[in-house]
Amino acid sequence: MSSDEKRPEQPTAPRSLAEALRSRDDADLAALLRSRPDLITPVPTDLTQLATRAGTRASVVRALERLDRFAVQTAQALAVAPDPATYDELLGLLAGDDRDPAVTAALPHALHILREQALVWGADDCLRLVRTARELLAPTPQHPSPTGLGPTVREATSGMSPGRIQEIVTTAGLPSTHDSVSAVAALTDLFTDRARMTGLLADAPAESVEVLDRLVWGPPYGQVTADPAPRLRWLLDRGLLLPTAPGTVVLPREVALHLRAGRAHRTPEPTPPPVTTTATHHPQVVDSTAAGQAYTALATVEELLKDWDEGGPAVLRAGGLSVRDLKRTAVALDVSEPVAAFWVELAYAAGLLASDGEADERYAATPAYDEWRELPPADRWARLAEAWLTATRTAGLVGGRDAKDRTLSALGPGLDRSAAQEVRHRVLTLLADLPEGTAPDPGSLQARLRWERPPRAGDDLRARLAEWTLTEAEQLGVTGRGALSTHGRALLGTAPKHPRPPAEAGPGDRLPFRHRPAPPLPALSAQEQATATAAAARLLAPLLPEPLDHVLLQADLTAVAPGPLRRPLADMLGVLADVESKGGATVYRFTPGSVRRALDAGRSASDLHAFLAEHSRTPVPQPLAYLIDDVARRHGHLRVGAASAYVRCDDDALLNEILADKRSAGLGLRRLAPTVLAAQADPAALLEGLRAMGFAPAAESAEGDVLITRAHAHRTPPRTPPEPVPDGPPTPDATLLAAAIRAIRAGDLATTTPRKPPADTPATTGGELPRTGPAETLATMQAAVLTGQALWIGYVNAEGAASQRVIAPVRVEGGFVTAYDHTADEVRTYALHRITGVAELADGPGD
């Protein structure tokens, strides 16, 4: 065990977990609370309560699930070891008789982790697994141990008749005893003696040895008939198999360990499997590829929200997108449905789209989308990447089933997985640990993640999350060709840790790794993540293509954009032409319908000719000019229009007065009929304008009923992005830890500090509240003010809750005592009539 992991020997061994915690310093308590934050919610009153909480089933299960595989194997070995066990016994169970050097080197760190998390306590000669953990990991007939070991000889023979036990002892070649306890002990000694067991098994028939070989690595239980075969009878007569129920036998733990050469596990895994590589690329190639993917991501999100700009698909009654709407979205984006679900969920996580909250609820872009579009491309990507990295909503679940067998829909409930954020961050961190430009082998990456956090039986969620992370990171441009990009490293808040590998490094080369894995990086604070995101944007910006201000017109009525276009040009071209194909270059096609669309938008034929001449690097083809002129010549013969609002009144003189008023100029009024005026302003603005002019108009519905209406909203009200669902209580910061430890220490002081008893009463260190009369309490308080002595008091507050406190009285007056409360670490005032009693301390409280 290394010097920094060994604890100083205590004068006396702790008798409980609470005593073991009491011997820890503040740094060790902080490490415990940081690794198990559920213990601090709420803050325990003292170390005894902290120990009790650390031993509860829910807390222990949570702690065990967060251990790496070798730490779990160490805990499993302790669960089948004697209680208490020595360090050498534990090492023998893990390293075997040959003392595997890798296990020997890794065990001190694993034991240190178990001690730090209060799952194991005691010195090296008296190691104890907390009782709840032992109950969870120890083998039982209903729940066999992961080690495959069965019960001990003593446990298996607990219901056996004394006569049968004596028969087994005699057949095994041992002298008979006068009682079952000594007989079981003798049999146990035989099975744990390597030399004598070797001699016993040397005489075993080959068929009997085959039976032992089938049971040795578990499960250790087997079935027998009422008349066992000779090979089984030989084993039963010597106790190498012991009956546990009618027709059922078990291989005793001691026998199995002998056959396993002392190992509790068939394959100990003391070191993490290395992450191997499949390809090596030049870092610049990786960055360029990732930048291209990043730009495609921006274009895809813009295209998605452009379709939903004035209101998107309807919201299902249970929430989310319908399957039909998701298919339509996938067709519009020219991607598969799972990929479409990813982009939709990403825009939602970034706060760019949400439901509008109307009665006929639909999805639409949020006001934040307009602000996002005005940002530089690198900043827009950084916002998407940060939202993806910190989100717990999991697009990969879309189309699956929930616990009630209901289909999970995009943007619907039930997609949050609290582990998503941690797995996503861990996968990228493992990529960051590789040399620049190297792509990992997904299988080895999954193996590493399984070692760091062994999955529960039947639970492959973390494996699926890791697979989705690799795919989504490539789609978003965090990685390129499978390797983490430079701006992807910056997004994590890390820098390259390895030099670029030599050019001759080939696929499948194993990379060096440390003997012990680096602990997962803690989640960045909001400010740290903002700094990392800004750094990623700065690194990405030079890699993104510069927007162009021109296109190439061709004679086949198409225009080729050789790169991204500036926004005004792209917006106008999107109206004047239809997108025919996308990729490195975008091809637009001019059709009569697209030209008519531009004319409907208020452009004239001359405007279109001038626009094309200004932004084309090639002359405007004659067929395109003819197309524009031909459509423009026929455009507008029939007029179909719409007024935002109208004013009708039976008194045409009143309407004439409104038209003549100069204040109505901004409303865009014109007469459609003697009693009807049409307005370009919306109804709300028209109502407000007429009222400002001194009139009293009323709004009406389509049926002519008086009604107040409002204009249709193309944006949702301001929305906040969905909050990630935390995976348990958050890790406490340094300030909270310091305050919590101070409160726990003070509370522990109040319950453990020795008190001076009366002459005829033995000393106490806790328990019942002290009881003294009012006169004695007052006199003791006044004397303590003069001497500066600390006292132990019992106090009942206004709600009737009783507590013990250690105080140093400062002033006694008016029925109150003002004192420094060591328990709360502050000056407080107490009513004398609420003090149940007082006692002097044997020694003053420590600082």
Side-chain angles (χ1 to χ4, degrees):
M1 202 172 187
S2 60
S3 59
D4 59 332
E5 292 166 353
K6 282 189 175 180
R7 306 191 52 78
E9 294 186 3
Q10 302 298 324
T12 57
R15 294 171 298 175
S16 64
L17 177 59
E19 286 191 12
L21 294 179
R22 198 164 285 123
S23 66
R24 294 190 177 193
D25 57 24
D26 288 354
D28 286 344
L29 282 181
L32 167 62
L33 299 178
R34 192 179 295 109
S35 62
R36 298 177 66 179
D38 57 298
L39 301 182
I40 204 175
T41 310
V43 177
T45 57
D46 54 34
L47 288 169
T48 300
Q49 188 180 91
L50 176 62
T52 301
R53 193 177 296 175
T56 58
R57 184 181 181 88
S59 182
V60 170
V61 168
R62 182 178 178 82
L64 290 174
E65 288 178 349
R66 292 177 173 272
L67 297 175
D68 63 51
R69 188 178 298 279
F70 188 62
V72 170
Q73 289 183 332
T74 302
Q76 292 168 349
L78 273 174
V80 297
D83 187 27
T86 65
Y87 183 86
D88 287 339
E89 289 174 333
L90 176 61
L91 178 61
L93 286 171
L94 289 166
D97 294 343
D98 56 353
R99 291 298 192 264
D100 185 339
V103 173
T104 303
L107 181 57
H109 180 83
L111 191 58
H112 171 72
I113 292 296
L114 294 175
R115 277 177 167 148
E116 179 183 80
Q117 299 199 21
L119 295 171
V120 171
W121 57 278
D124 283 355
D125 60 349
C126 189
L127 294 173
R128 294 183 182 273
L129 191 65
V130 293
R131 179 170 54 86
T132 307
R134 178 174 287 275
E135 292 172 354
L136 289 169
L137 299 176
T140 64
Q142 294 76 24
H143 302 284
S145 167
T147 62
L149 292 171
T152 62
V153 172
R154 182 179 58 82
E155 294 167 344
T157 58
S158 59
M160 191 177 293
S161 66
R164 177 57 184 155
I165 294 176
Q166 294 295 336
E167 290 177 3
I168 292 174
V169 168
T170 303
T171 307
L174 299 174
S176 60
T177 64
H178 298 289
D179 58 88
S180 297
V181 174
S182 58
V184 170
L187 198 60
T188 301
D189 290 341
L190 169 63
F191 292 164
T192 54
D193 189 315
R194 293 284 191 267
R196 288 196 291 164
M197 270 296 287
T198 301
L200 178 63
L201 294 175
D203 299 331
E207 296 83 359
S208 300
V209 174
E210 291 178 3
V211 173
L212 295 179
D213 290 341
R214 289 199 297 269
L215 299 177
V216 63
W217 292 108
Y221 294 91
Q223 302 295 321
V224 295
T225 62
D227 184 19
R231 65 180 185 277
L232 297 177
R233 173 59 61 192
W234 192 94
L235 298 172
L236 288 168
D237 288 345
R238 289 156 181 79
L240 298 175
L241 291 180
L242 293 172
T244 58
T248 303
V249 294
V250 66
L251 180 67
R253 186 181 306 170
E254 294 85 352
V255 177
L257 287 174
H258 172 80
L259 296 172
R260 297 180 178 192
R263 291 184 184 274
H265 298 86
R266 171 176 285 187
T267 309
E269 299 182 54
T271 56
V275 178
T276 59
T277 63
T278 57
T280 301
H281 309 284
H282 195 283
Q284 292 181 355
V285 174
V286 171
D287 291 346
S288 298
T289 304
Q293 293 284 14
Y295 191 86
T296 302
L298 296 179
T300 304
V301 173
E302 284 193 47
E303 185 177 354
L304 166 68
L305 294 176
K306 184 179 180 181
D307 288 343
W308 296 8
D309 202 26
E310 296 183 0
V315 181
L316 293 175
R317 182 178 302 176
L321 282 180
S322 67
V323 175
R324 179 179 300 175
D325 286 330
L326 182 60
K327 288 182 178 179
R328 289 173 178 169
T329 302
V331 171
L333 298 179
D334 194 21
V335 296
S336 64
E337 292 176 38
V339 175
F342 167 67
W343 294 121
V344 169
E345 283 290 339
L346 179 62
Y348 176 57
L352 304 182
L353 69 84
S355 61
D356 57 16
E358 301 292 336
D360 183 19
E361 195 172 14
R362 309 185 75 82
Y363 288 106
T366 65
Y369 169 60
D370 298 313
E371 301 174 4
W372 179 78
R373 289 186 67 196
E374 299 304 320
L375 295 174
D379 292 337
R380 281 186 281 146
W381 176 86
R383 180 166 173 179
L384 295 178
E386 181 180 350
W388 169 75
L389 184 63
T390 58
T392 55
R393 290 185 62 85
T394 308
L397 296 172
V398 173
R401 296 280 179 174
D402 63 8
K404 297 182 179 179
D405 200 34
R406 295 175 300 194
T407 301
L408 295 170
S409 58
L411 300 180
L415 293 183
D416 279 293
R417 295 294 182 271
S418 54
Q421 187 182 84
E422 188 267 332
V423 172
R424 199 175 290 129
H425 193 277
R426 185 58 186 152
V427 168
L428 295 184
T429 302
L430 289 173
L431 296 186
D433 285 337
L434 298 176
E436 292 183 84
T438 54
D441 172 55
S444 67
L445 187 67
Q446 291 279 14
R448 176 63 169 265
L449 293 174
R450 287 193 297 270
W451 187 92
E452 292 181 350
R453 191 72 62 82
R456 290 176 292 180
D459 182 13
D460 64 341
L461 175 62
R462 291 178 64 86
R464 289 184 292 153
L465 288 172
E467 180 182 351
W468 294 331
T469 295
L470 292 175
T471 302
E472 293 168 359
E474 193 75 14
Q475 293 171 342
L476 189 55
V478 176
T479 60
R481 301 196 178 188
L484 190 64
S485 64
T486 302
H487 50 273
R489 294 176 189 271
L491 186 67
L492 289 175
T494 62
K497 297 181 179 180
H498 299 277
R500 185 166 61 91
E504 60 270 13
D509 289 347
R510 287 183 173 267
L511 300 172
F513 62 94
R514 287 164 289 184
H515 179 66
R516 295 298 303 175
L521 293 176
L524 299 179
S525 65
Q527 182 177 0
E528 291 171 338
Q529 186 61 66
T531 302
T533 303
R538 286 194 301 270
L539 291 171
L540 177 64
L543 302 175
L544 294 176
E546 287 290 334
L548 304 176
D549 62 352
H550 65 274
V551 294
L552 305 175
L553 295 178
Q554 302 186 105
D556 60 350
L557 297 180
T558 61
V560 177
L565 300 177
R566 292 182 178 177
R567 185 168 303 283
L569 173 58
D571 292 343
M572 182 58 198
L573 199 59
V575 175
L576 181 57
D578 298 324
V579 176
E580 187 170 81
S581 65
K582 295 179 292 185
T586 305
V587 178
Y588 295 85
R589 178 165 293 280
F590 299 96
T591 65
S594 68
V595 174
R596 187 181 303 114
R597 187 169 62 229
L599 295 173
D600 289 341
R603 300 284 183 169
S604 64
S606 59
D607 292 338
L608 299 182
H609 285 302
F611 169 78
L612 294 175
E614 178 184 358
H615 293 288
S616 175
R617 288 290 178 87
T618 58
V620 179
Q622 194 175 50
L624 179 56
Y626 285 167
L627 174 66
I628 294 174
D629 291 338
D630 183 58
V631 175
R633 196 165 39 250
R634 293 180 287 109
H635 185 265
H637 287 185
L638 294 177
R639 302 293 182 90
V640 178
S644 296
Y646 65 87
V647 182
R648 69 181 181 89
C649 180
D650 295 334
D651 186 357
D652 58 347
L654 181 58
L655 296 182
N656 290 334
E657 179 183 350
I658 294 174
L659 286 173
D661 196 320
K662 294 182 179 180
R663 292 174 295 175
S664 67
L667 299 177
L669 297 173
R670 62 189 178 94
R671 190 186 293 274
L672 294 182
T675 59
V676 180
L677 298 180
Q680 295 302 313
D682 60 77
L686 181 58
L687 283 170
E688 188 66 23
L690 292 176
R691 287 167 181 165
M693 294 166 59
F695 299 99
E700 66 178 20
S701 67
E703 292 77 21
D705 300 324
V706 175
L707 182 67
I708 300 297
T709 60
R710 62 175 182 169
H712 176 70
H714 300 295
R715 290 288 181 268
T716 69
R719 303 291 193 196
T720 56
E723 289 290 333
V725 176
D727 186 14
T731 302
D733 57 25
T735 303
L736 176 58
L737 283 176
I741 292 172
R742 187 167 57 249
I744 294 172
R745 294 282 193 200
D748 202 57
L749 177 67
T751 57
T752 60
T753 302
R755 271 78 69 177
K756 288 183 179 180
D760 57 347
T761 304
T764 62
T765 58
E768 298 295 331
L769 297 179
R771 300 289 179 179
T772 56
E776 183 180 354
T777 297
L778 178 60
T780 305
M781 288 289 182
Q782 291 173 336
V785 171
L786 298 176
T787 61
Q789 185 179 12
L791 302 174
W792 173 58
I793 66 170
Y795 190 76
V796 179
N797 63 17
E799 287 75 28
S803 61
Q804 304 178 49
R805 299 178 178 275
V806 175
I807 67 172
V810 178
R811 183 173 61 254
V812 179
E813 60 183 10
F816 293 89
V817 55
T818 302
Y820 176 77
D821 189 333
H822 289 276
T823 307
D825 197 20
E826 64 183 10
V827 176
R828 290 185 174 181
T829 300
Y830 300 97
L832 282 170
H833 70 278
R834 293 190 178 277
I835 297 177
T836 64
V838 61
E840 297 180 3
L841 300 180
D843 297 298
D847 294 334

